[in-house]
Amino acid sequence: MSSSEIRTIPYTRPSITELEVEYATDAAANGWGEHCYTYISRFEEAFKAYLGVKYVIATSSCTGALHLGMHAMGIGPGDEVIMADTNWIATAAPIVHLGAKPVFVDILPDSWCLDPEQVEAAITMNTKAIVAVHLYGNLCDMDALLEIGKRHGIPVIEDAAEAIGSVYQGKRAGSMGSFGAFSFHGTKTITTGEGGMFVTNDFALYEKVMTLSNHGRVLGEQKQFWPEMVGFKYKMSNIQAAIGCAQMQRISTLVERKREVLQLYKNEFERMGIPNYGFNPEMHGCLIGAWMTTVVMGVPSETSKLSENLQLSLKNRGIDARPFFAPLSSTPPFRGRLSISSLSKKWSYSIPPVALNLPCSHDISESDICYVCNTLKEALV
Ligand SMILES: Cc1ncc(COP(=O)(O)O)c(C=O)c1O
């Protein structure tokens, strides 16, 4: 790499082939009238088979799927929902919209996901659910969380927005909790532009979500334009689902490539002898979907400027890296609301200042990965 070289490397973008274009074109040309749900049904069937769950509902976003599921569970004013402090606000927003309170607990330093001990310490009489977010495609300790949930009679929801392709002890992320929610935003491993999926094995919950998602019209109701309650409109369009069908046909390749990109970064770091770093962890018995290649450099510290400085150095070379999620309890809507036990090291505060999301599109070249790693190495000295 010459010292004056500048490339343009996006942090992520979807993998769109002629197949996606063909299906979307067909949906635009023919997917109306009696065919207006054809691709939606196909996409739902393909997703259901991939995940190994009984019921799925395609939605306009993951946020919508979470909102529907939480509403159907009866989460409302006065209730508390425990979730990780390290997160995108999309998980907390539906809780707030329902009039309930998100309770933020710390993450584990090795998975960057919910710390089960902290979850248990945060449970009160008002706790209505625990949301396990599989951050960046990493996996929460589901055995521990499900056991805590069972012991206290509290359902565990899986926010698997970032975790398609991740497998925990043989079970796919999103398939283990009371319900799961996925995102198909344009940055995700599979995309429909915007979009989401609600998934569950619980028929009663599915029925409620189906009704809520369809403006309160009960599943199987013959009478037309007849709502039984006030619901929501969080539907996916047939054209979006057409793109989703093509992505599902390619899902193994898409997930495999994400894992490959992460491995290429790991190999390059090792080859270059960069010290003290850790990439997305893969726990024993787990396989991560590696949605977002993320690196933690050096020693976690709340006051470090390392991530900020590295991001700037990369930007100066045309590389679009992104910051690790700031703790939600540091953001204006939730400032100061971290629920921590005396044991806490506040990893949600000390990891982001030394962590970065690296460019990891499916089509990133090995040469671009080397360029990113070289730029990082130069910025570190
Ligand atoms: C962890 C997490 N949950 C929920 C969402 C919301 O997904 P969507 O944009 O499809 O609503 C995102 C989006 O990036 C996310 O990262």
Side-chain angles (χ1 to χ4, degrees):
M1 173 177 109
S2 89
S3 57
S4 58
E5 187 185 5
I6 297 191
R7 302 185 188 182
T8 303
I9 307 180
Y11 93 114
T12 179
R13 65 174 169 216
S15 167
I16 301 296
T17 63
E18 281 177 15
L19 191 64
E20 282 78 5
V21 175
E22 182 193 321
Y23 286 2
T25 306
D26 179 50
N30 306 308
W32 310 104
E34 62 187 312
H35 301 299
C36 71
Y37 297 121
T38 307
Y39 278 108
I40 298 174
S41 306
R42 260 176 71 181
F43 183 42
E44 288 179 337
E45 285 308 313
F47 204 84
K48 201 195 300 182
Y50 178 75
L51 218 67
V53 291
K54 290 188 185 154
Y55 313 105
V56 306
I57 301 171
T59 55
S60 53
S61 68
C62 178
T63 311
L66 288 168
H67 195 180
L68 290 167
M70 289 179 185
H71 191 290
M73 274 181 157
I75 292 170
D79 293 334
E80 294 174 1
V81 178
I82 300 173
M83 56 179 282
D85 194 24
T86 301
N87 213 337
W88 177 226
I89 193 170
T91 317
I95 301 169
V96 175
H97 293 323
L98 289 167
K101 181 180 157 196
V103 174
F104 303 115
V105 302
D106 206 3
I107 52 169
L108 290 168
D110 49 1
S111 68
W112 316 333
C113 292
L114 267 184
D115 178 345
E117 260 185 48
Q118 301 262 332
V119 169
E120 186 141 32
I123 290 174
T124 71
M125 298 275 291
N126 299 322
T127 306
K128 197 73 183 238
I130 297 162
V131 189
V133 179
H134 302 299
L135 199 84
Y136 301 136
N138 298 352
L139 283 153
C140 293
D141 182 347
M142 287 306 292
D143 281 348
L145 293 174
L146 289 169
E147 190 276 323
I148 291 169
K150 196 169 168 195
R151 199 155 24 84
H152 292 268
I154 299 168
V156 177
I157 297 165
E158 283 182 273
D159 180 341
E162 306 176 353
I164 194 155
S166 298
V167 183
Y168 179 89
Q169 316 287 1
K171 291 174 218 124
R172 292 209 179 275
S175 70
M176 295 168 274
S178 297
F179 77 84
F182 289 84
S183 172
F184 310 127
H185 178 255
T187 54
K188 296 298 191 292
T189 299
I190 73 160
T191 191
T192 56
E194 292 278 1
M197 193 71 82
F198 169 89
V199 310
T200 187
N201 286 310
D202 176 342
F203 180 71
L205 191 63
Y206 164 72
E207 232 184 351
K208 278 189 206 163
V209 170
M210 202 59 189
T211 302
L212 281 172
S213 72
N214 196 14
H215 270 319
R217 288 180 285 188
V218 175
L219 190 63
E221 169 64 65
Q222 296 303 311
K223 206 163 157 181
Q224 291 187 317
F225 304 122
W226 191 255
E228 282 296 329
M229 65 183 76
V230 176
F232 301 91
K233 181 73 188 291
Y234 281 143
K235 286 188 176 187
M236 176 179 282
S237 79
N238 201 46
I239 299 174
Q240 288 171 297
I243 297 175
C245 285
Q247 297 266 284
M248 285 310 290
Q249 271 182 242
R250 302 174 51 232
I251 181 88
S252 314
T253 316
L254 293 174
V255 172
E256 202 38 56
R257 180 59 189 161
K258 280 284 180 181
R259 290 178 54 79
E260 228 169 63
V261 168
L262 171 62
Q263 190 58 48
L264 287 168
Y265 271 110
K266 285 184 182 173
N267 296 348
E268 196 54 20
F269 264 55
E270 199 174 323
R271 193 187 65 75
M272 289 171 48
I274 297 177
N276 298 330
Y277 63 86
F279 282 98
N280 311 52
E282 192 161 62
M283 304 305 181
H284 180 69
C286 294
L287 193 141
I288 56 166
W291 166 58
M292 181 60 64
T293 293
T294 300
V295 66
V296 175
M297 314 272 314
V299 182
S301 151
E302 285 186 38
T303 54
S304 174
K305 294 271 179 247
L306 184 66
S307 168
E308 232 173 272
N309 294 339
L310 290 177
Q311 195 185 357
L312 189 63
S313 303
L314 292 172
K315 190 173 173 215
N316 290 337
R317 286 293 186 87
I319 301 163
D320 187 11
R322 296 289 166 103
F324 197 93
F325 289 127
L328 286 173
S329 66
S330 72
T331 64
F334 306 113
R335 195 157 282 150
R337 295 241 310 251
L338 179 61
S339 158
I340 41 167
S341 78
S342 54
L343 289 175
S344 177
K345 305 263 192 311
K346 290 212 283 182
W347 296 109
S348 64
Y349 280 76
S350 59
I351 291 177
V354 297
L356 266 187
N357 301 150
L358 299 176
C360 55
S361 307
H362 303 90
D363 64 353
I364 190 169
S365 66
E366 283 193 39
S367 156
D368 279 351
I369 289 174
C370 291
Y371 174 80
V372 174
C373 294
N374 269 311
T375 309
L376 272 174
K377 190 174 183 191
E378 278 175 20
L380 280 166
V381 285

